[in-house]
Amino acid sequence: MSGARSATGALAVLLAVTAACGVKSVSAPDPSRTVLADGSRVYVSPEQNETDGLYPARPSQLWAKPQGDAPARQLTFGSASVADPVVLDDGRVLFVSAMPPSLSTPGTHLALFVVNSDGTGVLPYACEHDGAPYVRGPRELPGGIVAFRASDSPGGKERWESVLSARPFRSRGPLPAALVKEAENPGPRARMPMGRLSTVDPSKKTGILLCLDARRNSESESPLPVTRVRILAGGAGSARALGEVPLAADGSFLAEVPADVPLGIEALDEQGRVVRALAPWIWVRPGENRACIGCHEPHGFAPRNRRPLAVKEPPARLTLPATIAETRSRGGM
Amino acid sequence: MRRKVALWSLVLGAMAALGAAAGARTHILKMSGRKDLSGVKGCSNCHFVSTSRLAWSKKRPHHAAPAGLVLSPDGARLYVALDDTDEVAVADVAARRVTAKARVAGAPTGIAVDPTGERLFVTCRGGDRLAVLEARTLAETGSVPVGVGPIGVAHVATPAGGRLVVANAVSDDLSVISVSPLAEVARLSAGREPYAVAAAPGSRALVVSRMANITRGDEVPASEVTVVDAASARVTLRARLDSAHLSEGIELVPRRPWALASIVRVRNLVPITQVAQGWVMSSGLALCDPVSGKSVEIPLDEANAYFADPSGVAVDADGRRAYVASGGGDVVTVVDLDRLGRWLEGADETTRRDAIDDLQLSPEYVLARVPTGRNPRQVVLSPDGKTLFVAERLDDSILLVDTESLRPVGRIALGDGGEKDPIRRGERVFARARTTFQAQFSCRSCHPDAHVDGLAYDFDIDGVGRDIVENRSLQGLDGTAPFKWNGKNPSLKVQCGPRFAKVLTRAAPFSGPDLDDLDAFLTSLPPTRTGHETHGRLTEAQERGRRIFFAIQMTDGRPIPYSSRCSTCHRPPLYTDRLPADVATKGPFDSTGKFDVPHLLGVAASAPYLHDGRAATLEEIWTIYNPKDTHGITNYMTKHQLNDLIEFLKTL
Amino acid sequence: MKRTFTAASALLFLASVAGPLGARSGASRPAELPFPLIDRFESFGVSDGLPSWKVHCVLSEGGRVWAGTTKGLVVREGGRFRTIGPEQGLSHSVVSSLAVDPASGDLWVGTFRGLNRVSAGRIETFTQTSSGLPNNVVYSVMVAKGAVWVATAAGTGRLDLKTRAWSLYDQTNTLMHEPWCYALAESPDRIYVGVWGGGIVEHDPVRGTWKEYRDPDGEPDIDLLPDDGPVHDVTSGVSFSDGLLWQSTYFGLSRYDGSRWKTFLKDKSPLVSNFINFVAAKGKSAWICTDQGLAVTDGEIWATYRHSEGGGGLLELSRPGKGIERRRMGTALPNDFVLGASVGKDDIWLATSHGLAHGVFARPGTETKGNGK
């Protein structure tokens, strides 16, 4: 814990974790770029062993340590390890982690994610399904550019790439040469990141998942033949089904789910066959209301203006089986 | 001895105080019919309220905030309507300074010029008239009454001569005016709050309405573009803009079958679980075909940055570029219309339908964002297209932008900006979007002119799908604390404080000084203008309605219990006792049936009604939603009496 | 010989110009007639795109024809019918009355559940619960003097188009005998309300006063004294034109010129039936929609259109002192139960209980034959 407070310690952790992932860390950005608006410093913990891989039993998570004696708070609760956090101007934390394997993207694929400063609202940010599968060391540059190192294989030849914050899922390409120097040494941030008041309610043990239309997907205009969803909880290799939630007539569902555990979703058709599956990687914080547009929803889309029918009933309550160990831990390192 | 006297004084004083408190309690319980004192803060809930002591009754500084702009046909002079100072100013463009001002009574707001450049046509929002000025001298040469609250105006050439189309924002109609002789030839119905007008070939005018229609239940709101044939004074088309509102600008695009209207795409039906990914609203443009009425809405925002409150629109003469002011984002967005056209050609029906929600789309056609001063609203292009003039409303200035380099090249100062005035500073806080996450919206975005957008929202903090609440006006709210429908916020500073940041803006709360200024601004706002001003004299129907409002017995002589009289909870002069009341309107998704009694000043312009907006009109409050006389005893009324009551309420 | 030839020629000439006695198809408009004659009828029904056979009301304006049916409002544009019903936002499918605001072109539609304004495709509804409309059952609607007037089952309402204020008139604040108002008419300075069971009330909008016209007989079944006032108190229609107020009832027809009344009954005039659903005044004449056909009269000369017993249509022309001239027509009304009319310059549209009819006026000096649609 005290080691994580120093830049050297943080770097050691980063190196250890990313080495386990088969990825070397770039030179860390200026320390000001890992500080939240309230002065908390974001870091990764715990250290990983080389043999742990991307989905260890206790994956590396993001933590934020406030100034003074206040305890650190955990920000991420996914099943894959995380690395290389930086704080964006909008106050969110950008970091590297692995996408859960899927039919369209089998094998390892690292991507950029964002999460709010209280661990709510985790979302993919870029590189989810496109380009080289190994990324690290993201940094925010002026002009709405996010640069990062990319390679086609672990430990392979790296290059600078970037995305535009205006369209991060459609703009991945080589970083313009004129910006490479800035990317390599970003320097202190020009202005403080945006602040945010936490919406986490520590008195609660659950959060809410709302999906506007589980039949909506990014692959085609035709709605998926989904009639209900199965929610899973637990890390890699230990996921358990919490229960099933039928869809409302418009495809929406509302469920109360355990907080601070990795959650996955299987979309089922009338015969109970899995139409789409999301391996556990998202989570809700205590008291968080987390919503999505669809099942493997199109990225960068705002929702259509419709009241979801599911909200006219109380949420389906899905509780955590005792056999699943909570990934929530106290005090960090 | 002295000690004894002091002691007895203390004892007697304490006894007197206790006695007074007990007496007050008895008085309150008896007069209000309530069994609890929840919400009662003191005598001032019912007594000693005087509007003359409220902030909005006091004099306040006025500022040369630019409203409408128009250039002379030769581009040499810029005419600016200054609604807050009752003036029209003319500036020499080359010299970049104001050369003359003239007083024009009634809050001059919109301004147009005739093709010869000799006459100006100015809408006077507060005077409900259109004034004609001689452009050379700014002398007023004519005036004609129009509808209530006129804002936008355009001059349209027709075979019948010059016509003007005026958007009357408060009366929701359009005035078609013949220029010579100066007379209103027709009054046509429009959408809700018609705001901006653009002339179009073929004797037409296009009018965009700022607000979406009042909806019921889970209906999707929509605003309207009204196409008017100014020659025949007929509405020829009404185009519907789905989930669009806050449209403050419209322009026809030469060479293309579009009109461009600035819009906010609102998502009021979606529970506000987040702000990211455009979840609350986003800004855009509606490309509206004025012949078929079909429209495509496209985003102006980006996936991780928003440019809130799009306002004025200008299009160059070749139809190649559009300039859209972002009132909350303090930028002008430059749109390449050729690239937009190419995208549109390649987009199928589904892509067009979903375009407004695709936050990664705008880089296809957005060329640049030009930073401006505070709250840019109206924009006009010089006749040669080389200079864009931007009204920086809350800086009291006009920004000049070179359209080739897209850089600011100068400013015309209209006033001092009002930095020393806390009300002005507060208005800046109100209009500024950067205090919300990714600058997605400002306070104005839901409260245009600090009023209401007529929509209900689902804030997730009290449960998704629960406690859906209708928006409330911020005009005339000084002295009406507490705030929020459940009355839990005792002051504006609490209302706009940390919880607001947590629940809605998802960012850091306002700073202390900003909060103070915001309070000063909000409390300075007088009640909403409804267009039913009585000037001290009620009609017969309004007087009958007033008696019904203050009635203590029914028509047949049966008494109305004190607690069931309109005037008990809705006590003048603010028509609220500022206490929570249960009028049996608790819905299946509400956690409580007790709501803060809303004040009724300006109520006629604040539809819909009740806490969740279920009553689309005032009538429905009692015809549908008071079956058991729980919201006042009203079922004894005949239709005559209810109509009269409504007529009285409209006068508040 | 020469004299015989001359007489024969004269007879032939007279025959050719005077026309034969007895049935004759088609008609021209002789100079002495105060109203045009219908040359032919076209009929439209469900097979042509109407949503229902029963048509309550019709309005022809600006090249369009609007008709109110039991299953929605229908508009004919470019020869095709399009229905507007509750699915499109109309407040109810039973459409009772239509009026156009000449100042804006907006169409006002009365239904059995509220009033609608149809304007460039947008429908705005007013009901008794959402507005000051007196009652949802709207029998008649009229736009006059800057306001929309509605006759409803519980009084007459007036919506000021500028101030949006509603005023309500019934038996409690006017001379109306009862609140059931059925018909409306306008003269240059008056508003007339036909009250069902209350005759006619006349309103002076400037002074705010009311005046009542009742059947002086008080007899529900007979017209005891002719020409003493309205023929009956059960008013089904009122219409004003050129200084004359016409009243239709289920018991005859009345006309008022401001000082004198004239009543018309079936057995005392060429009126084809006392059961009159609607009256539409035009000039000095009135078109009368009865349960047994359509009539038009200036009070002296009458023309009646109905089905002929032998098939086809029958025109009966009655002129004082000239008896009844009967002419066969190749076409006829779709049904003799006529509920409404809209009279134009060159034609007339008619609402009947089994279809919509279009009567084309004969052009002067022409004769037309045949059936065609």
Side-chain angles (χ1 to χ4, degrees):
Chain A
M1 178 66 174
S2 58
R5 285 193 190 136
S6 71
T8 311
L11 185 56
V13 168
L14 278 168
L15 286 172
V17 168
T18 50
C21 298
V23 178
K24 291 205 183 87
S25 181
V26 293
S27 56
D30 184 275
S32 67
R33 292 180 182 266
T34 56
V35 175
L36 296 166
D38 65 358
S40 303
R41 181 170 296 283
V42 179
Y43 64 95
V44 175
S45 172
E47 288 186 29
Q48 293 297 320
N49 294 320
E50 285 184 10
T51 54
D52 283 347
L54 283 169
Y55 299 93
R58 221 172 141 234
S60 307
Q61 304 289 6
L62 289 184
W63 291 78
K65 172 71 181 74
Q67 295 169 327
D69 295 328
R73 59 181 189 273
Q74 187 172 346
L75 301 186
T76 61
F77 298 84
S79 48
S81 287
V82 303
D84 297 347
V86 286
V87 177
L88 298 173
D89 282 348
D90 65 22
R92 295 183 297 180
V93 182
L94 182 69
F95 62 96
V96 175
S97 189
M99 280 304 298
S102 69
L103 287 174
S104 57
T105 321
T108 301
H109 196 102
L110 301 182
L112 302 181
F113 296 84
V114 278
V115 70
N116 290 322
S117 56
D118 59 359
T120 58
V122 64
L123 286 171
Y125 186 88
C127 308
E128 209 187 3
H129 298 299
D130 54 348
Y134 290 90
V135 296
R136 63 190 182 91
R139 51 217 53 207
E140 187 176 26
L141 303 183
I145 293 173
V146 171
F148 51 91
R149 301 290 284 166
S151 62
D152 296 310
S153 60
K157 188 169 165 34
E158 285 189 336
R159 54 193 176 271
W160 280 107
E161 289 186 0
S162 65
V163 293
L164 298 173
S165 64
R167 45 176 15 183
F169 294 97
R170 295 184 202 163
S171 58
R172 183 172 178 175
L175 179 69
L179 295 172
V180 169
K181 198 168 169 193
E182 170 88 35
E184 283 171 349
N185 285 296
R189 64 185 321 128
R191 55 173 182 262
M192 284 298 289
M194 180 152 241
R196 182 191 172 87
L197 293 184
S198 174
T199 55
V200 173
D201 182 352
S203 69
K204 293 188 172 168
K205 292 189 180 335
T206 60
I208 297 291
L209 264 185
L210 166 68
C211 179
L212 300 184
D213 185 357
R215 304 162 308 185
R216 188 172 173 193
N217 66 102
S218 58
E219 284 95 34
S220 86
E221 258 311 299
S222 307
L224 300 173
V226 178
T227 60
R228 60 189 191 275
V229 295
R230 180 185 297 141
I231 312 285
L232 307 151
S238 65
R240 290 282 192 277
L242 301 182
E244 295 182 2
V245 185
L247 301 188
D250 62 350
S252 59
F253 74 83
L254 184 69
E256 183 180 353
V257 293
D260 295 347
V261 294
L263 299 169
I265 303 175
E266 289 175 342
L268 311 175
D269 67 10
E270 238 177 41
Q271 283 76 41
R273 290 179 296 219
V274 176
V275 176
R276 285 284 186 283
L278 177 72
W281 79 268
I282 61 168
W283 61 87
V284 294
R285 299 295 334 269
E288 179 186 0
N289 297 310
R290 183 189 166 89
C292 61
I293 292 175
C295 211
H296 202 234
E297 63 189 53
H299 290 302
F301 267 72
R304 291 176 186 149
N305 191 24
R306 300 286 185 275
R307 176 104 56 215
L309 292 176
V311 306
K312 295 187 188 290
E313 299 291 335
R317 298 195 71 197
L318 302 176
T319 53
L320 194 67
T323 50
I324 296 179
E326 292 184 11
T327 62
R328 188 189 307 137
S329 60
R330 307 203 180 275
M333 285 179 62
Chain B
M1 181 65 184
R2 264 194 233 139
R3 230 186 295 165
K4 266 192 185 169
V5 168
L7 194 59
W8 273 110
S9 301
L10 265 173
V11 167
L12 288 169
M15 285 174 65
L18 280 170
R25 185 189 171 87
T26 306
H27 170 72
I28 290 167
L29 289 176
K30 180 186 170 199
M31 298 306 289
S32 69
R34 299 176 65 101
K35 294 189 174 39
D36 67 302
L37 289 176
S38 162
V40 176
K41 293 290 179 275
C43 303
S44 65
N45 275 95
C46 300
H47 304 292
F48 315 128
V49 181
S50 167
T51 56
S52 64
R53 287 202 285 266
L54 297 174
W56 49 260
S57 292
K58 298 185 173 18
K59 278 194 162 182
R60 64 164 183 85
H62 292 270
H63 301 285
L69 305 178
V70 74
L71 280 161
S72 58
D74 62 4
R77 287 172 305 285
L78 179 72
Y79 300 97
V80 186
L82 305 173
D83 58 311
D84 199 34
T85 57
D86 276 5
E87 291 172 310
V88 167
V90 58
D92 184 300
V93 169
R96 293 179 191 167
R97 62 181 182 81
V98 171
T99 53
K101 277 184 184 178
R103 180 170 157 72
V104 178
T109 306
I111 189 165
V113 67
D114 76 5
T116 65
E118 288 172 6
R119 281 177 298 188
L120 299 172
F121 306 102
V122 182
T123 57
C124 298
R125 181 166 51 90
D128 301 338
R129 69 189 187 104
L130 176 99
V132 182
L133 310 186
E134 189 187 271
R136 193 176 52 83
T137 61
L138 298 184
E140 187 167 328
T141 59
S143 176
V144 61
V146 291
V148 185
I151 306 249
V153 58
H155 181 278
V156 183
T158 80
R163 291 266 164 105
L164 300 164
V165 176
V166 172
N168 301 309
V170 176
S171 49
D172 294 346
D173 52 30
L174 310 172
S175 294
V176 179
I177 296 173
S178 83
V179 173
S180 189
L182 187 68
E184 186 182 43
V185 300
R187 185 79 64 88
L188 308 171
S189 76
R192 200 157 79 93
E193 250 189 77
Y195 202 87
V197 189
S203 304
R204 289 176 307 165
L206 276 52
V207 183
V208 69
S209 289
R210 188 160 72 156
M211 290 295 130
N213 56 318
I214 300 290
T215 52
R216 288 183 167 81
D218 295 339
E219 272 182 316
V220 177
S223 63
E224 176 179 302
V225 168
T226 316
V227 182
V228 177
D229 181 324
S232 61
R234 286 284 184 271
V235 173
T236 57
L237 185 78
R238 297 183 190 274
R240 185 185 154 95
L241 305 181
D242 273 322
S243 289
H245 80 161
L246 283 192
S247 306
E248 294 187 349
I250 187 165
E251 266 311 326
L252 202 68
V253 179
R255 297 189 306 117
R256 295 193 191 274
W258 313 331
L260 292 180
S262 57
I263 62 166
V264 168
R265 174 74 163 198
V266 70
R267 298 183 175 94
N268 65 303
L269 298 173
V270 180
I272 303 177
T273 55
Q274 65 195 63
V275 172
Q277 304 214 119
W279 213 261
V280 180
M281 62 181 79
S282 57
S283 70
L285 284 174
L287 279 62
C288 180
D289 184 334
V291 173
S292 68
K294 290 189 176 170
S295 63
V296 177
E297 295 173 22
I298 57 159
L300 290 177
D301 292 334
E302 298 169 358
N304 290 290
Y306 299 80
F307 304 92
D309 304 336
S311 188
V313 179
V315 177
D316 65 14
D318 296 328
R320 307 198 86 116
R321 274 205 197 159
Y323 302 86
V324 185
S326 161
D330 296 342
V331 298
V332 167
T333 298
V334 185
V335 178
D336 185 321
L337 296 176
D338 288 333
R339 279 163 53 180
L340 177 57
R342 283 195 291 276
W343 169 82
L344 195 62
E345 275 165 32
D348 61 18
E349 202 57 44
T350 303
T351 306
R352 291 177 179 213
R353 180 199 66 193
D354 290 341
I356 187 63
D357 297 326
D358 181 359
L359 296 172
Q360 299 187 95
L361 182 60
S362 69
E364 294 287 332
Y365 41 79
V366 169
L367 262 181
R369 316 267 185 190
V370 180
T372 69
R374 297 180 182 96
N375 195 223
R377 301 286 290 276
Q378 296 307 311
V379 288
V380 291
L381 267 174
S382 58
D384 60 8
K386 290 185 176 173
T387 309
L388 181 74
F389 297 82
V390 183
E392 298 171 318
R393 182 154 171 88
L394 296 180
D395 277 344
D396 301 341
S397 56
I398 306 291
L399 178 71
L400 282 72
V401 177
D402 175 73
T403 57
E404 198 170 314
S405 64
L406 294 179
R407 288 184 190 288
V409 292
R411 271 193 171 84
I412 300 172
L414 302 167
D416 66 1
E419 187 58 43
K420 292 184 183 156
D421 173 18
I423 295 174
R424 166 50 76 85
R425 291 198 306 266
E427 189 174 3
R428 287 176 178 163
V429 173
F430 192 80
R432 185 179 72 203
R434 57 186 159 85
T435 37
T436 64
F437 179 72
Q438 293 181 336
Q440 190 175 111
F441 50 86
S442 69
C443 305
R444 265 195 85 236
S445 306
C446 295
H447 296 280
D449 300 338
H451 191 38
V452 282
D453 58 10
L455 300 174
Y457 291 89
D458 181 4
F459 294 97
D460 75 327
I461 190 122
D462 28 36
V464 169
R466 302 195 61 78
D467 296 313
I468 293 170
V469 285
E470 184 235 328
N471 200 348
R472 293 177 79 169
S473 179
L474 306 179
Q475 295 186 1
L477 54 57
D478 189 30
T480 66
F483 302 106
K484 211 162 162 320
W485 271 109
N486 62 16
K488 283 195 175 157
N489 289 340
S491 68
L492 282 176
K493 290 189 186 171
V494 171
Q495 172 73 15
C496 305
R499 190 171 180 281
F500 176 68
K502 196 167 161 174
V503 168
L504 186 52
T505 66
R506 310 281 170 144
F510 291 119
S511 68
D514 277 354
L515 210 47
D516 289 340
D517 290 339
L518 189 60
D519 185 295
F521 167 64
L522 291 175
T523 53
S524 76
L525 298 169
T528 310
R529 182 147 187 250
T530 65
H532 297 281
E533 290 83 21
T534 61
H535 306 294
R537 288 179 57 187
L538 300 181
T539 65
E540 285 179 18
Q542 290 165 351
E543 174 58 30
R544 290 192 301 264
R546 189 193 68 81
R547 287 200 290 267
I548 291 169
F549 186 87
F550 289 100
I552 62 173
Q553 62 188 31
M554 298 177 239
T555 320
D556 61 6
R558 280 180 292 156
I560 300 175
Y562 189 82
S563 58
S564 297
R565 298 175 192 167
C566 305
S567 55
T568 299
C569 296
H570 293 286
R571 297 180 72 85
L574 301 177
Y575 293 86
T576 174
D577 61 2
R578 302 182 293 118
L579 295 174
D582 187 341
V583 293
T585 53
K586 180 172 187 280
F589 306 112
D590 292 327
S591 54
T592 180
K594 263 193 177 170
F595 300 105
D596 172 50
V597 174
H599 73 81
L600 300 184
L601 300 180
V603 69
S606 305
Y609 304 101
L610 300 179
H611 69 281
D612 53 4
R614 65 179 71 160
T617 63
L618 284 169
E619 285 84 354
E620 289 187 358
I621 297 173
W622 297 289
T623 58
I624 300 177
Y625 299 114
N626 193 30
K628 296 182 181 172
D629 278 339
T630 46
H631 190 169
I633 290 186
T634 61
N635 286 305
Y636 74 91
M637 288 190 213
T638 63
K639 186 68 171 159
H640 282 278
Q641 288 170 314
L642 182 62
N643 280 4
D644 289 340
L645 176 64
I646 302 294
E647 285 304 305
F648 170 68
L649 291 175
K650 287 182 187 175
T651 68
L652 298 180
Chain C
M1 181 68 173
K2 200 172 170 185
R3 221 182 296 153
T4 308
F5 179 78
T6 305
S9 304
L11 276 171
L12 200 60
F13 172 73
L14 281 169
S16 70
V17 298
L21 292 170
R24 186 170 85 181
S25 63
S28 61
R29 177 178 169 169
E32 67 272 20
L33 283 182
F35 44 76
L37 290 178
I38 295 172
D39 184 58
R40 67 177 189 280
F41 287 100
E42 298 169 329
S43 297
F44 305 95
V46 169
S47 50
D48 300 296
L50 260 64
S52 159
W53 283 109
K54 187 158 183 190
V55 185
H56 292 137
C57 52
V58 63
L59 176 66
S60 170
E61 59 85 30
R64 282 182 297 196
V65 179
W66 301 90
T69 78
T70 51
K71 290 187 182 172
L73 174 69
V74 68
V75 60
R76 185 172 188 253
E77 286 172 306
R80 298 179 66 176
F81 288 100
R82 177 169 57 91
T83 300
I84 299 167
E87 305 76 28
Q88 287 76 33
L90 202 67
S91 60
H92 197 267
S93 58
V94 178
V95 177
S96 58
S97 47
L98 301 165
V100 158
D101 178 359
S104 64
D106 292 346
L107 177 75
W108 291 84
V109 181
T111 74
F112 276 9
R113 194 192 164 271
L115 176 70
N116 303 263
R117 167 161 55 187
V118 180
S119 174
R122 184 189 73 188
I123 301 177
E124 194 183 341
T125 65
F126 304 82
T127 65
Q128 69 187 60
T129 49
S130 70
S131 72
L133 181 75
N135 187 271
N136 277 346
V137 180
V138 177
Y139 289 114
S140 188
V141 61
M142 173 178 78
V143 182
K145 302 177 185 3
V148 178
W149 292 80
V150 282
T152 80
T156 289
R158 176 186 179 275
L159 171 64
D160 188 303
L161 284 168
K162 277 204 177 152
T163 67
R164 312 274 174 94
W166 280 93
S167 305
L168 169 51
Y169 306 105
D170 61 16
Q171 78 283 8
T172 65
N173 62 349
T174 72
L175 290 173
M176 274 181 216
H177 175 258
E178 59 175 277
W180 193 349
C181 299
Y182 208 73
L184 294 163
E186 170 197 25
S187 74
D189 57 356
R190 294 288 189 273
I191 301 289
Y192 296 94
V193 181
V195 185
W196 189 266
I200 301 168
V201 284
E202 174 191 284
H203 175 55
D204 181 339
V206 172
R207 290 160 59 201
T209 55
W210 295 85
K211 188 174 171 182
E212 189 184 41
Y213 300 101
R214 302 290 303 274
D215 175 11
D217 305 335
E219 290 290 333
D221 299 316
I222 57 170
D223 185 24
L224 194 62
L225 288 172
D227 305 337
D228 60 347
V231 68
H232 204 275
D233 278 344
V234 178
T235 304
S236 61
V238 284
S239 186
F240 184 97
S241 173
D242 213 350
L244 297 173
L245 174 70
W246 297 82
Q247 179 209 26
S248 63
T249 79
Y250 287 176
F251 300 90
L253 177 75
S254 311
R255 184 188 67 193
Y256 182 55
D257 66 5
S259 54
R260 283 188 303 267
W261 285 89
K262 176 92 181 104
T263 57
F264 305 90
L265 291 167
K266 178 185 173 182
D267 55 359
K268 293 182 180 168
S269 75
L271 181 63
V272 64
S273 168
N274 286 336
F275 193 101
I276 309 170
N277 295 302
F278 187 82
V279 62
K282 184 93 171 168
K284 292 282 188 194
S285 303
W287 293 81
I288 306 149
C289 305
T290 83
D291 65 335
Q292 293 183 38
L294 172 72
V296 57
T297 185
D298 67 343
E300 300 290 328
I301 300 171
W302 294 75
T304 303
Y305 300 87
R306 56 196 175 95
H307 280 85
S308 162
E309 280 179 12
L314 182 65
L315 160 63
E316 291 175 318
L317 193 54
S318 168
R319 283 174 270 205
K322 290 190 179 176
I324 297 176
E325 180 190 337
R326 294 186 173 80
R327 302 179 188 178
R328 273 201 210 290
M329 292 180 71
T331 56
L333 288 162
N335 189 279
D336 283 351
F337 200 111
V338 186
L339 288 154
S342 178
V343 187
K345 188 163 145 294
D346 299 316
D347 57 7
I348 181 170
W349 286 86
L350 297 152
T352 83
S353 69
H354 197 76
L356 180 68
H358 179 214
V360 181
F361 294 153
R363 275 176 290 163
T366 64
E367 288 192 8
T368 55
K369 299 182 174 78
N371 247 349
K373 275 196 180 184

